Amino acid sequence: MPDGRPIERLVIFGATGDLAARMLLPSLYFLDADNLLPSELKIVASARSEMSRDAFTNYVRDLLKARPEGLDEAVWARFAARLDYLAADVTRGEGLAGVAAEVGARSTIFYLALSPSLYGAVCRALDASGLACGECRIVMEKPLGHDLASSQAINAEVGQVFEERRVFRIDHYLGKETVQNLLALRFANTFFEPLWNNLAIDHVQITVAETEGVGERWRYYDDYGALRDMVQNHMLQLLCLVAMEPPPDAGADSVRDEKVKVLKSLRRFDRATAQQLAVRGQYRAGVVDGRQAPSYVDEKGGPSDTETFVALRADIDNWRWAGVPFYLRTGKRLPERRTQIVIQFKPLPHLIFGERAEEDVSANRLVIDLQPDEDISLLLMNRRPGLTGNRLQALPLSLSLDDGGRRRIAYERLLLDVLAGNQSLFVRRDEVELAWSWIDSIAGAWTDLGITPRPYAAGSWGPAGAFALLERSGRTWLDE
Ligand code: BG6
């Protein structure tokens, strides 16, 4: 629940890094432009390197100016007045003396835009320097650990200093407009809910495809791979929002309790199922967007057994979803950028329109596009107008969520919610740990079996096994 006192300080540790430059600082600027930041809020940027306040402010100005939206001088003047910069070694209590002097006893948000391996040390240092006051909140980025054990260790260290209601674990997918709209679609309409189960739904596909390679993030990525980088968090969050039961209300714990039940119902993998139902791939050289792309191993690093592609079949063992596969697929250097959820309904039980109509008919499908466009369409069968017999056609009933305005950065929503103390769009400790325990069942079996990623050409939809995964049950990826 939100605390009474407005937040007066937002301290960003790692403020000269990539996340702050691409997401946090622009999001804060846009919130300021919309008059959504508390007037008293000061933003204290902190990183290891010595830099003057002016130098930091110029750096922020340059990066905002370089954005396509451009810079509004009046907003900038207001925003710049909020900024301060302090060099600090965040892992040592004494290193935080400058921050402590600036923050004092004010209610503060500490944003850790740092490597998660530092989270424990930073929390201890905040505690030692008297900064972890009862009004403070801490924001942490993924990946929270590399597996269940390391994730538990981080959560335990953080938990010793900050109670759970002060901990905001970011999954930036939850800040995306269409992801939030999933709840409205499911729970603000009456007609989906009676069909939202194994009686009417054949299967679900969730795709997060990227055309980009790993690039400058190679070293980080090579330690994690697509399973830990994307499936453990973003994709499981999407799966949970599709699969969860209606919560009693939209409150943070009500929604998160339901997501936790889904995670508990996910069928764990064993050696046999990890081999059959979870496909690993790694891109080789190829052509993406008409341009030659190097292979993963040639991009930066060297020989590697890290996957850049995963396709798998998840099964949810509960009454609603028994027998309904959820196919998840994600990868780098795929043919297009697309984040999409497809709810494929069952075929008609019986067709009354004769043989010719048989070739026209396709089962109803709800397609939720998150990226690059944000829209929702429901594929419905219609009669083709005319006198030439009963021919049918599938037509989409479409809802575009593009209002022509600026597409907000997901972090804008999330930062606003941290400021308000609303945890609905943040991941609770038990969610993170349950997700890891499921991921461990896949990663562990791959390791035991010595399963290495299969090659796929950059610009293709992944290795052959990804297609076989669905074809075995007479299904295909819905790629049109
Ligand atoms: C991040 C992953 O969490 O999400 C990246 O670490 C990935 O590897 C990114 O590229 C995708 O986010 P979005 O919002 O661009 O779909």
Side-chain angles (χ1 to χ4, degrees):
M1 273 292 100
D3 292 318
R5 269 176 69 192
I7 293 288
E8 292 166 278
R9 293 288 182 271
L10 167 62
V11 179
I12 304 176
F13 292 126
T16 51
D18 182 58
L19 179 75
R22 284 188 308 113
M23 301 291 167
L24 306 181
L25 293 162
S27 295
L28 289 163
Y29 168 82
F30 290 128
L31 289 175
D32 211 3
D34 290 339
N35 290 311
L36 291 170
L37 293 184
S39 52
E40 62 278 17
L41 183 75
K42 290 262 183 276
I43 300 166
V44 182
S46 180
R48 265 173 191 270
S49 37
E50 291 294 338
M51 201 191 292
S52 67
R53 179 187 177 276
D54 282 353
F56 182 74
T57 311
N58 287 336
Y59 157 76
V60 179
R61 184 183 163 85
D62 287 348
L63 65 90
L64 292 174
K65 258 189 117 168
R67 291 186 62 93
E69 299 88 350
L71 192 74
D72 178 316
E73 291 296 341
V75 176
W76 168 249
R78 187 164 73 228
F79 186 65
R82 297 179 186 274
L83 294 177
D84 203 350
Y85 181 84
L86 292 172
D89 177 354
V90 288
T91 56
R92 292 173 35 245
E94 57 277 24
L96 289 176
V99 177
E102 162 60 30
V103 165
R106 295 186 182 88
S107 51
T108 304
I109 293 169
F110 297 103
Y111 199 118
L112 310 191
L114 301 166
S115 160
S117 60
L118 300 175
Y119 290 172
V122 175
C123 287
R124 282 194 301 276
L126 286 171
D127 198 22
S129 53
L131 280 163
C133 69
E135 300 272 322
C136 298
R137 297 170 197 157
I138 186 142
V139 188
M140 298 187 297
E141 282 289 331
K142 65 166 260 280
L144 276 170
H146 193 264
D147 53 19
L148 176 61
S150 50
S151 158
Q152 284 172 326
I154 295 175
N155 283 327
E157 285 188 292
V158 173
Q160 274 168 12
V161 180
F162 293 94
E163 339 157 53
E164 183 64 24
R165 71 192 177 93
R166 309 216 167 270
V167 181
F168 290 73
R169 295 181 191 82
I170 295 253
D171 183 313
H172 78 277
Y173 266 51
L174 295 179
K176 291 183 192 272
E177 194 60 49
T178 330
V179 175
Q180 294 168 66
N181 199 31
L182 248 176
L183 292 186
L185 187 74
R186 288 197 55 199
F187 304 127
N189 294 294
T190 46
F191 50 84
F192 285 124
E193 182 50 24
L195 299 174
W196 210 259
N197 55 46
N198 56 7
L199 298 178
I201 293 177
D202 178 75
H203 73 278
V204 175
Q205 299 186 6
I206 304 179
T207 295
V208 182
E210 297 178 278
T211 52
E212 296 294 309
V214 175
E216 293 309 313
R217 295 171 72 230
W218 205 95
R219 300 249 163 259
Y220 150 80
Y221 190 90
D222 200 53
D223 258 356
Y224 286 85
L227 185 69
R228 295 180 170 92
D229 182 52
M230 296 296 287
V231 182
Q232 190 273 342
N233 36 77
H234 309 322
M235 300 200 78
L236 279 185
Q237 285 294 328
L238 296 181
L239 176 145
C240 283
L241 294 174
V242 172
M244 72 186 209
E245 295 300 311
D249 54 58
D253 278 327
S254 301
V255 172
R256 297 186 300 178
D257 286 347
E258 297 306 333
K259 289 196 282 171
V260 159
K261 287 185 207 161
V262 175
L263 293 166
K264 282 184 180 163
S265 308
L266 277 176
R267 191 181 303 163
R268 300 305 187 247
F269 284 75
D270 57 24
R271 285 174 175 221
T273 53
Q275 192 157 30
Q276 282 164 12
L277 305 179
V279 178
R280 294 182 89 183
Q282 189 191 78
Y283 57 84
R284 298 289 186 262
V287 177
V288 187
D289 282 342
R291 284 202 307 270
Q292 202 62 42
S295 72
Y296 174 71
V297 291
D298 290 335
E299 207 167 23
K300 271 266 167 275
S304 165
D305 278 343
T306 297
E307 78 283 347
T308 59
F309 176 96
V310 174
L312 57 83
R313 171 185 163 142
D315 282 275
I316 302 174
D317 289 329
N318 65 17
W319 275 57
R320 189 187 282 267
W321 296 114
V324 181
F326 280 63
Y327 294 105
L328 311 187
R329 173 178 59 163
T330 185
K332 306 274 184 201
R333 292 273 193 239
L334 298 186
E336 59 182 270
R337 172 161 163 81
R338 185 201 308 168
T339 304
Q340 188 180 62
I341 300 172
V342 180
I343 314 290
Q344 178 64 57
F345 289 90
K346 292 203 162 159
L348 290 176
H350 171 66
L351 183 66
I352 65 169
F353 298 107
E355 253 175 46
R356 290 187 70 199
E358 224 167 85
E359 60 201 64
D360 300 335
V361 85
S362 46
N364 299 129
R365 184 182 302 162
L366 176 68
V367 180
I368 303 166
D369 281 309
L370 287 81
Q371 288 173 160
D373 303 319
E374 296 190 319
D375 53 43
I376 296 172
S377 71
L378 182 61
L379 206 67
L380 295 175
M381 292 310 301
N382 292 263
R383 185 176 183 283
R384 285 191 205 173
L387 302 175
T388 53
N390 275 325
R391 296 303 302 260
L392 300 174
Q393 60 185 348
L395 286 179
L397 202 60
S398 291
L399 195 69
S400 170
L401 302 178
D402 183 0
D403 60 4
R406 178 179 68 81
R407 174 89 65 91
R408 285 194 179 276
I409 305 173
Y411 280 84
E412 293 177 52
R413 161 90 270 149
L414 298 174
L415 283 162
L416 211 50
D417 282 358
V418 184
L419 285 164
N422 178 357
Q423 288 183 308
S424 303
L425 299 178
F426 296 85
V427 187
R428 209 167 58 189
R429 176 175 179 167
D430 48 354
E431 272 181 85
V432 175
E433 294 180 2
L434 281 162
W436 273 121
S437 86
W438 186 73
I439 291 293
D440 281 1
S441 73
I442 306 169
W446 280 348
T447 308
D448 291 351
L449 294 164
I451 293 180
T452 51
R454 309 295 304 159
Y456 64 95
S460 73
W461 278 108
F467 298 92
L469 178 69
L470 273 77
E471 280 159 10
R472 252 180 256 135
S473 59
R475 300 177 173 109
T476 53
W477 292 105
L478 301 164
D479 278 337
E480 79 277 18

